[in-house]
Amino acid sequence: MNLAKQSRASEPVEGHAQNSPMVRLRPPWLIYFGDVEDVGHAKTGLGLIQWRREFCAGQMRASGCHVDGGIPDMGIGEAVAAGVNSLVIGVAPAGGSIPPTWVSDLVRAARAGIDIVSGMHARLSDFPEIVAAARESGARLIDVRTPPRNIPVGSGERRSGKRLLTVGTDCAVGKKYTALAVEKEMRARGWNADFRATGQTGIMIAGQGVAIDSVIADFISGAAEMLSPAAAPDHWDVIEGQGSLSHPSFAGVSLGLLHGAQPDALVLCHDPSRKFLLGMEGSGSFPILPLAQSIEQCLGLARRVNVNARFVGVSVNTSRVSPEERSRLYEEIARETGLPVADPIREGVKAIVDRIAAEFR
Amino acid sequence: MNLAKQSRASEPVEGHAQNSPMVRLRPPWLIYFGDVEDVGHAKTGLGLIQWRREFCAGQMRASGCHVDGGIPDMGIGEAVAAGVNSLVIGVAPAGGSIPPTWVSDLVRAARAGIDIVSGMHARLSDFPEIVAAARESGARLIDVRTPPRNIPVGSGERRSGKRLLTVGTDCAVGKKYTALAVEKEMRARGWNADFRATGQTGIMIAGQGVAIDSVIADFISGAAEMLSPAAAPDHWDVIEGQGSLSHPSFAGVSLGLLHGAQPDALVLCHDPSRKFLLGMEGSGSFPILPLAQSIEQCLGLARRVNVNARFVGVSVNTSRVSPEERSRLYEEIARETGLPVADPIREGVKAIVDRIAAEFR
């Protein structure tokens, strides 16, 4: 424990030095799909185009690419002419490595002064050709999984402004999507709201953020505090959750994020088709907790840092639920939790933001 | 979240490569006190002598040193003759840096093939003279705050053997001391027990361990699982706790450690003189939770990974409690919690280990 509250450097961001402690991407972006064949592996790039179309100047696809984001195709030369500032790798091949076939494209972009942005496990700085090209032009190599330097230890001090955090009954239940949908709905109503990213895809979509699961353990809550600093009283930070308090692999990350976020409002994200934690069906040891129990556990911990923390909705993924089942499911969840229920992909999160409006404005 | 359960390298241990993923120190040790004036800054070295006298060949003190561990004084030459394998820096000066006056001693030891062990923030590898000397002789430079490579993501799978974890109502309430006292009492009874260290001083005392607060956030519970692997059914791992579930700076570390440790038995450590979390008295925002509430919260989370988790005692620091007050305090805590109460410094932890014997053997 670092009781002295000293800052401690985490691993440095490679390439050109950054002044800000947080990752920040410079738009406009060129979305790089390489030769990806499978839409499932292109979720990052397609998510960027879905949520931040205004920052996407074009896409770059090699022969053999079977994915189309529906935006203009460009080579490096055209991208330079279009004023592109960042090439964002929009593909995550299995294994998280950078295939040799991409390297020459990345070298050409870096040499042209375009920042290269990657969310993969492999580090851009492990490719000497890319490093040399970036050094020559001053382009930045941004590995968004690499946390910023100088994250403080969390202080627990109350900050001005409002915060919403999405939490989950499991990993991969729509916490990022729900947060983005809430931000969009709040902005549509003219509210002052910002999505705050805690994972690599979210960081690319937001153009900034901290990969909270990559931070040194002593600094998780400090990173969350840094990510959602004091703001105007009517401003909402809409913070992307990570993991689950009931997940034995990642609960520490979830609790540090909860404490650092100090949420006023919480949305519980849930996939009703899951009976056990993802990837742990075999052992049968880790059933998904009942929603009311998840909520109670989370509030017990959240109120340590914000006595007014409360849930404002349940976000469900109903992609595997039949239309007849759906209304029964919504009623059941509403009865169990007393909260509005919404599938952000199907009908959006109006019901949840209505509840926030009623409780906070 | 690293759902693919890939190992990910944390920062490498500098100096000579280690085969084991865990830090392991080679006895016998020379405890280095340098020119420390203040006993408070020499706690690490004095703790090593207290808990692991059998590993301590001698102490090395410069002129101006006002601390005496009561073991033979040695220079580097005498240490070599005595078969010393590791020089352990037993001092933590304010700021955690290595003063220039020590460097020549460390260089001479490293040149003589003696491993150098440091628990300070400053890295031994940042001193080129020390690195060069170690490289020449094959000595290892061990920064115990640097976590091992290849920590796995926590699996949550049940392991054989028994585990005890000390938890706290705050930081710095005797979690390490209590765990060491429990190990000592268990061994005195002929039980098969090992202290498992999670902080730098504990690692030095145990000769191995993982600085759990220095691990990448995604791997906290995995590090705890690695630290207390499957063992014989009657073996006890006595695991040093970190932080507190109710501490807004460090609760994520505490929860990841709790989940990875899968404790059968828990001991709550408490300083009754504290009304607020250490260092947070000013704000008044973070009162120490009532013991029954701390216990209930911890069990709710612990039972996710071990349905039989239970508390077996309360360890109190009564150094600021008068003799008349003490028996009243013990009665009050026993009534509130239904658990045996002991001050490990004053009367040892026999009462707690009696309870473990009654419940588990």
Side-chain angles (χ1 to χ4, degrees), chain B:
Chain B
M1 300 300 104
N2 194 337
L3 280 169
K5 304 207 175 180
Q6 295 164 313
S7 295
R8 191 190 323 178
S10 57
E11 296 164 81
V13 175
E14 298 294 337
H16 192 74
Q18 295 191 293
N19 292 321
S20 158
M22 276 211 283
V23 169
R24 282 184 209 277
L25 314 187
R26 295 188 301 169
W29 304 333
L30 176 66
I31 308 300
Y32 186 79
F33 285 118
D35 51 0
V36 67
E37 296 188 5
D38 173 1
V39 170
H41 287 143
K43 275 164 73 174
T44 298
L46 296 172
L48 293 176
I49 296 167
Q50 177 184 359
W51 292 104
R52 291 294 183 265
R53 175 65 188 86
E54 67 277 22
F55 292 165
C56 299
Q59 62 185 349
M60 183 167 171
R61 304 185 296 162
S63 67
C65 178
H66 292 185
V67 169
D68 184 355
I71 60 175
D73 281 297
M74 292 182 176
I76 302 295
E78 291 158 293
V80 170
V84 161
N85 281 313
S86 305
L87 180 153
V88 183
I89 299 177
V91 199
S97 65
I98 296 177
T101 52
W102 300 1
V103 173
S104 67
D105 289 338
L106 303 184
V107 165
R108 279 190 300 130
R111 193 174 292 140
I114 295 175
D115 294 347
I116 312 293
V117 182
S118 163
M120 293 194 290
H121 278 292
R123 298 267 183 96
L124 293 167
S125 54
D126 290 338
F127 295 83
E129 317 89 292
I130 302 175
V131 171
R135 191 165 293 151
E136 208 175 280
S137 71
R140 301 182 305 167
L141 303 182
I142 300 176
D143 285 299
V144 300
R145 283 182 191 266
T146 303
R149 295 161 172 268
N150 300 323
I151 299 174
V153 168
S155 73
E157 278 166 33
R158 292 284 292 142
R159 315 191 282 290
S160 56
K162 295 272 186 288
R163 283 163 200 86
L164 180 145
L165 175 68
T166 55
V167 298
T169 54
D170 192 1
C171 296
V173 287
K175 293 182 292 287
K176 178 178 76 255
Y177 195 100
T178 301
L180 284 161
V182 168
E183 182 210 45
K184 188 176 180 186
E185 177 64 27
M186 285 180 165
R187 288 184 169 185
R189 298 181 187 203
W191 300 13
N192 188 3
D194 287 299
F195 170 73
R196 300 299 187 191
T198 59
Q200 62 270 16
T201 305
I203 292 171
M204 289 180 176
I205 292 170
Q208 62 181 44
V210 179
I212 201 112
D213 62 1
S214 300
V215 164
I216 300 286
D218 233 0
F219 301 89
I220 306 170
S221 62
E225 292 181 358
M226 192 176 82
L227 185 70
S228 58
D234 68 341
H235 178 271
W236 280 93
D237 277 327
V238 184
I239 304 165
E240 176 193 6
Q242 291 293 337
S244 168
L245 289 171
S246 62
H247 198 299
S249 307
F250 308 120
V253 175
S254 305
L255 180 55
L257 176 54
L258 179 69
H259 274 171
Q262 294 183 354
D264 302 280
L266 291 140
V267 175
L268 183 64
C269 303
H270 179 60
D271 180 341
S273 72
R274 285 202 208 147
K275 301 304 168 211
F276 295 93
L277 293 182
L278 190 64
M280 294 188 166
E281 298 83 0
S283 75
S285 305
F286 298 105
I288 302 290
L289 295 186
L291 301 188
Q293 191 181 337
S294 282
I295 287 173
E296 184 190 20
Q297 180 177 71
C298 184
L299 285 180
L301 294 161
R303 288 187 172 151
R304 181 66 171 166
V305 291
N306 185 344
V307 290
N308 294 315
R310 72 194 81 172
F311 275 82
V312 294
V314 179
S315 170
V316 288
N317 175 346
T318 63
S319 57
R320 278 178 290 275
V321 177
S322 69
E324 309 83 64
E325 279 286 292
R326 193 173 304 121
S327 63
R328 204 189 50 72
L329 176 77
Y330 280 33
E331 277 169 35
E332 193 180 294
I333 293 176
R335 200 177 326 115
E336 182 180 358
T337 64
L339 296 171
V341 185
D343 181 332
I345 292 184
R346 196 164 292 270
E347 66 260 350
V349 292
K350 285 193 166 54
I352 293 173
V353 178
D354 285 346
R355 172 67 67 100
I356 299 171
E359 299 228 353
F360 289 94
R361 288 167 76 96

Side-chain angles (χ1 to χ4, degrees), chain A residues 7 15-16 42 48 74 117 122 177 188 214 240 246 265-266 324 330 347:
Chain A
S7 296
H16 192 74
L48 293 177
M74 291 181 177
V117 182
Y177 196 99
S214 301
E240 176 192 6
S246 61
L266 291 140
E324 309 84 62
Y330 280 33
E347 67 259 350

